[in-house]
Amino acid sequence: MQPRFLFPHYLKRIGWLITIPALLIGLLYILNGQEFSFLEFHIRSKSNADLFLGEYENFTNELLGVLLIIGLNLVAFSKEKIEDEWVTKTRLESLQWGVYINSFLVLLSLVFFYGTDFLTVMTFNLFTVLLFFIIRFNFILYIKPSFESKNKVNAF
Amino acid sequence: MRNRIRVERAEINITQAELAERIQVSRQTINAMESNKYVPSTILALKIARIFNKPVEQIFFLDETD
């Protein structure tokens, strides 16, 4: 049975190559307000510049968002080296897991964050479903088996 | 559902990895089936039975909860 709607396996590596730098730069952006000056564009004229919007817009956060969405999707939905039915089942299960955890966190942030803080939390939320999914999926596939084989020798 | 994959595998002396390769699945899939965490599709069950040269019913059994 061929799984549908998945990218070829080699794109998973490219996904990581996009995701990891984007996550690191994203961390700098959040902690230090790191922005790239070459991404500064003049997009509004002075006359109709809004009270809260400057003439210039820095596209660092936009670029990070685009890279993260593309990177995370490639990591999440590329075929594994051996893509069999158990892997497919684990993938779907992990996706459900990711949505559950994410919904729970949205629930908490709905109650505990207000105003612009809530907006910030919801920005993280654009990526967390995929992030939780990727962590759970890769844990089951690659990390859990190494624990099990240490505990008992079942491969003869 | 329960199965005798581990026993059958020992009888013809092949590892999880070898069985996995012969039926083109991952080793974790074999492990999940042997520890009764995963019920294979009919296709996979038939493939496994063919490797051990036995009918499917001699390798896979229903249990009380099924």
Side-chain angles (χ1 to χ4, degrees), chain A residues 104-127:
Chain A
F104 178 68
L105 291 179
V106 170
L107 213 75
L108 288 183
S109 46
L110 272 169
V111 179
F112 293 111
F113 291 93
Y114 314 98
T116 49
D117 284 347
F118 182 69
L119 207 66
T120 312
V121 172
M122 289 321 278
T123 315
F124 290 134
N125 242 289
L126 296 172
F127 314 107

Side-chain angles (χ1 to χ4, degrees), chain A residues 19-85:
Chain A
T19 303
I20 292 173
L23 278 176
L24 292 177
I25 298 168
L27 211 65
L28 282 177
Y29 176 76
I30 294 161
L31 298 177
N32 288 347
Q34 171 84 45
E35 289 189 324
F36 297 114
S37 50
F38 67 89
L39 289 171
E40 186 104 12
F41 297 110
H42 183 252
I43 55 164
R44 295 181 200 90
S45 64
K46 198 138 201 163
S47 59
N48 62 15
D50 196 276
L51 188 60
F52 299 104
L53 296 169
E55 282 179 72
Y56 291 88
E57 190 72 53
N58 193 293
F59 276 78
T60 305
N61 50 353
E62 280 78 6
L63 180 72
L64 283 174
V66 169
L67 286 180
L68 271 180
I69 289 286
I70 294 173
L72 286 170
N73 270 288
L74 289 180
V75 173
F77 301 120
S78 290
K79 277 183 196 162
E80 293 305 308
K81 203 164 193 175
I82 303 171
E83 180 78 29
D84 63 19
E85 52 185 57

Side-chain angles (χ1 to χ4, degrees), chain A residues 1 82-87 89 140-142 144-145 148-149 152 154-156, chain B residues 6 9-10 15-16 24-29 31-32 34 37-38 40-41 44:
Chain A
M1 190 180 63
I82 303 171
E83 180 78 29
D84 63 19
E85 52 185 57
W86 176 76
V87 175
K89 185 199 121 190
I140 297 285
L141 246 62
Y142 300 109
K144 201 163 157 250
E148 283 167 350
S149 56
K152 53 176 182 180
N154 52 16
F156 282 75
Chain B
R6 186 166 286 159
R9 201 158 56 69
T15 62
Q16 287 189 336
Q24 283 158 4
V25 297
S26 64
R27 200 192 58 77
Q28 294 100 304
T29 307
N31 193 39
E34 288 187 356
K37 283 181 199 148
Y38 178 63
S41 70
L44 199 50

